[in-house]
Amino acid sequence: MSTRPNPLAEGLGLRRRPDPCALVVFGASGDLTQRKLLPALYALAYRRLLPERFAVVGVARTEQTTRQFVSSMRRAVKAHARDPYRTDVWESLAAGIRYVQTDFADDRGEDRVSETLERLERERGAGGNRLHYLAVPPVAFETVVREIGERRRAGDGWTRLIVEKPFGHDQASALELDGVLKRWFAEDEVFRIDHYLGKETVQNMLALRFANGIFEPIWNRQFIDHVQITVAEAIGIEGRSGFYESAGAVRDIFQNHLLQLVALTAMEPPIDFTADSVRNEKVKVLRALATPGPGSIVRGQYGRGWVEGEEVPSYREEPGVAADSVVETYVAAKLSVDNWRWAGTPFYVRAGKRLARRETTIAIQFQRAPHPPFAELAGGGLRPNVLLVHVQPNEGVSLAIGAKVPGAGMQIRTVHMDFLYGGAFREGVPEAYERLVLDAMLGDATLFTRSDEVEEQWNLVDAIVGGWRRHTPRMPNYAAGTWGPAAADQLLHRDGRSWRRH
Ligand SMILES: NC(=O)c1ccc[n+]([C@@H]2O[C@H](COP(=O)([O-])OP(=O)(O)OC[C@H]3O[C@@H](n4cnc5c(N)ncnc54)[C@H](OP(=O)(O)O)[C@@H]3O)[C@@H](O)[C@H]2O)c1
């Protein structure tokens, strides 16, 4: 008997190709360009998803020729791309790459960027459409935006900007950055990256909710007991003390990724999947989030411990961290979305570094069955249904349901119905940056954050951080390799609940 091929296994490479364009990467010698951006461009080239006529100009301070830049990018692609290295794919991409060495603040250097870009556009037929990627530290942001804005030419094709996080340090600084952008660019020309939105499983949350008839009728306070969102990292700060000491977990993860996951989980169905419809619904959730009181938020910092079999230092012992630092490496909160759908259904969220393992999950815990006729037979093992979205690793979705144990009697146990991306689709899961760079070339901002979302996110974070000034817990308060401070467990125990552990 022959089996029919799985129609889903074809993968998702069926997208329209963008118009000819040039990508200008500011910060081309940096970590992001090497580890994420160039490998993403290579993956797009590999699948023939880049424009037919395409060019890249890299800009940074490091002294190097185009030839040296191209060979360091080839090494980066070999080291970080998800596809095998193919000389023909690389060479077709590399033929359109140039490098310009300059300080962003140097006008003569920026003249050379413009000249190189114009020449390359003519050579490659890139058509005058320009996507600028700001892979630069926050201090360089304004200078680069000004350079691009002042040199933009009217009527020559589109101009777009991809802006990296962090977008500001608080609401006031985010508004200031927006002011800088708005001097030269319209909102639909600005693409603020939150790379979580580029992850397949995060988008699958939208598919799960809005492409299936069975979930939406029960996606509310009547059927859902609570939601848990976990963004756990096993790694420490990886030498980024300069950034982390002034950010902490609340600015690094909670302000953007975590709140975006809350918004996607809680949002109303958009009328369509255009950027504004989706973002209109997300921003309503962000506005409906009440500021958690001091009893509903917990922060922590890791001490020494063991992670994945290795002894690791405490946060305060990391190079560049103050010996008495009280910066949080962990944050947990009980959030309430004060609207008709969610009133009374808490969203427990947590994010931390040096936790027991790397895991990002959204767990929707449904109410218990109202009348459990099998209670005395269940041996206490029957838990409420949980829909678990694995954002990373092992991308997929699983539903915990009660099932009868084979054999005599009526014993019930929790089992899992699993969908794993790796098993259902032949095409591997694309890196978030592939999707996002392609979307920006196509002018689709659905998976990027709009200025009003960023503003609402900071509004909440400012209120939380403001509250923290009155009282600082003793730090460190959790050992590396554990699941965070005891107070985070108590946050749920008080409500008769506990964090998921698997
Ligand atoms: N790395 C990541 O995985 C990651 C993830 C999320 C967000 N981000 C954000 O992305 C941005 C870049 O991060 P990164 O890790 O790639 O930083 P990075 O490794 O420090 O690279 C910064 C780049 O900017 C260039 N640069 C800085 N100031 C300059 C100036 N005045 N003139 C010319 N070039 C200048 C540097 O050039 P030279 O080194 O040649 O001087 C380098 O190419 C940051 O805003 C970061 O927060 C990064």
Side-chain angles (χ1 to χ4, degrees), residues 43-244:
L44 293 173
Y46 196 89
R47 287 166 184 73
R48 304 179 137 271
L49 289 169
L50 285 179
E52 295 218 12
R53 283 169 287 144
F54 181 62
V56 179
V57 176
V59 186
R61 269 178 312 214
T62 300
E63 287 275 3
Q64 59 183 330
T65 61
T66 288
R67 182 191 280 266
Q68 288 164 326
F69 177 65
V70 168
S71 53
S72 79
M73 291 301 116
R74 184 178 55 229
R75 283 194 296 279
V77 163
K78 284 183 173 169
H80 302 292
R82 68 182 171 111
D83 301 302
Y85 180 77
R86 266 183 36 197
T87 313
D88 57 330
V89 174
W90 172 250
E91 281 179 357
S92 71
L93 181 62
I97 300 182
R98 302 288 181 274
Y99 179 79
V100 179
Q101 184 279 327
T102 181
D103 190 298
F104 301 138
D106 175 355
D107 276 340
R108 290 226 299 276
E110 292 299 331
D111 288 344
R112 279 188 285 116
V113 174
S114 300
E115 288 154 22
T116 307
L117 183 55
E118 281 165 26
R119 201 175 328 118
L120 189 60
E121 282 175 335
R122 281 196 301 276
E123 275 171 40
R124 309 281 301 174
N129 296 319
R130 293 174 175 183
L131 177 61
H132 301 87
Y133 199 118
L134 273 63
V136 303
V139 286
F141 182 86
E142 186 168 348
T143 314
V144 177
V145 173
R146 195 182 55 240
E147 287 293 344
I148 304 168
E150 284 177 351
R151 288 163 191 273
R152 107 177 258 187
R153 305 160 307 175
D156 256 6
W158 47 255
T159 298
R160 297 181 189 135
L161 256 64
I162 298 184
V163 177
E164 265 297 340
K165 78 159 205 177
F167 195 81
H169 183 76
D170 52 19
Q171 195 186 37
S173 56
L175 286 171
E176 213 176 296
L177 291 183
D178 260 327
V180 172
L181 285 167
K182 286 193 173 114
R183 241 179 273 158
W184 291 284
F185 303 98
E187 178 63 29
D188 65 2
E189 294 174 319
V190 179
F191 293 74
R192 293 175 198 77
I193 280 215
D194 183 324
H195 74 269
Y196 262 55
L197 298 182
K199 289 182 185 286
E200 285 295 318
T201 7
V202 172
Q203 294 158 51
N204 195 38
M205 188 65 171
L206 296 173
L208 195 72
R209 289 189 56 194
F210 306 130
N212 294 293
I214 61 168
F215 295 116
E216 212 41 34
I218 55 170
W219 206 263
N220 57 49
R221 62 191 301 275
Q222 278 166 312
F223 295 91
I224 294 177
D225 178 73
H226 72 277
V227 176
Q228 288 188 19
I229 303 182
T230 300
V231 180
E233 295 173 280
I235 54 171
I237 53 165
E238 309 270 281
R240 293 194 307 148
S241 60
F243 162 72
Y244 208 83

Side-chain angles (χ1 to χ4, degrees), residues 245 301 316 321-327:
E245 275 282 270
Q301 188 192 79
R316 288 176 176 177
V321 171
D324 57 353
S325 171
V326 290
V327 166

